[in-house]
Amino acid sequence: MKKWLACILVALLGAISAQSQEELKVRFRSRALLDAALSGYGKEHTQGYYRLEDFRVGFKAAYKRLELKADIGLGGGKVAVKDLLLNCHFRNSVLSFGNAYEPYSMDMLISTADMRFHQSAASVLAFADSRKLGVTCHFYDKHWYLATGVYTHNDINKLGSGQRNAFVSTSRAVWRRQDAGNHLIHLGGAFSFRTKEVNTEGNPSGSISSAGVTSMFPEPMMEAEITDMGTEIKGLVEALYMAPRFMLQAEYHFDRRNRLSGRRAYRPHGGYIQGGFLLKGSGFAYDAMYGIPGRPLTPQAVELVARFNYTNLNDGQAGIMGGEEKDLSLGVNFYLNQYLGVKLNGSYVWVGKHCNTFYQGDFFLAQLRLQYVF
């Protein structure tokens, strides 16, 4: 699979290059995220961790209206395709083919290096999926962002092995207003429908999980096994406000997983609210083409951040108890220049009922990230 993908990329670049060397623009990029975590959780083997969380290389090639983007992840001793997209740009729209995130959850769509914290909120990790292979149509203008797409229930790395035979349709709509003083109001929502899986032995089964505030611990904090799984309907509402030195972002997720054999549907939910304040610097980036916030506009900036999250994967009526938690995180992000950054934060987690047995009480966790983005 990896050799086959490499051949396609080389062929595409070669075809474009052969037509016009002058109009072809290629930019190579890379990213490295080095994380460390320290917790007074009371278990000796979980006191501290460090690892290379993400290391990837890639490129972006543009030729007239066409744009080819590719990122290959090299972390954890494995090679995996991340983004692999062919975009066709029009005046106020983009048609995308390939492997990427569906237009669902503003926080999941933000680049990892631009997020306020090390990873998305626990509720986002529970309800937003990983990359999928499919096609998306994006429309944008001054006041609106609209997107819709159809996807397989797999990313490109899983084709041919461990494949989940279902299709997903996802749409997102955002209304925004921005003035010349860098004040932005952004309100929107997203909706996703997944078909029932086919070609399975017996009724399909699945799971939903979240790592919580860190993925470094050996077990996910919340996890629910879902038997007799049918179709899935999920949605969210989102809000974003930006000022020259302050930003506020929030999402609330609701999910309904219908079940077969007359069983009650499973309905977990959760959400978060987070903010950032610039001690040094002014303004925050905002990608109007895809409706997502970014890092501070000032290359050398210092940002104070805070986040409260609530996630509930317990549904007593359905008889599925996946865990419930709340967490509060505070941190400071140092952007040394446009390439280097340091992120330091601490999180206090209230562990609720039916979480993974590994988590037997509330705990505090401190995390540090050194990041390089080129």
Side-chain angles (χ1 to χ4, degrees), residues 158-178:
K158 296 178 181 177
L159 292 181
S161 62
Q163 184 169 340
R164 305 184 69 177
N165 295 292
F167 286 95
V168 178
S169 174
T170 302
S171 300
R172 180 174 175 235
V174 171
W175 172 87
R176 66 271 184 108
R177 187 180 68 187
Q178 188 170 17

Side-chain angles (χ1 to χ4, degrees), residues 348-370:
Y348 191 83
V349 181
W350 292 271
V351 179
K353 296 181 179 179
H354 305 291
C355 285
N356 190 298
T357 55
F358 176 85
Y359 302 89
Q360 298 179 355
D362 303 340
F363 65 92
F364 175 80
L365 175 76
Q367 298 185 87
L368 173 68
R369 165 169 289 173
L370 307 178

Side-chain angles (χ1 to χ4, degrees), residues 78-94:
K78 298 180 180 179
V79 177
V81 178
K82 300 294 186 179
D83 291 330
L84 180 59
L85 277 174
L86 177 62
N87 296 330
C88 186
H89 291 263
F90 302 95
R91 182 178 178 183
N92 287 98
S93 60
V94 182

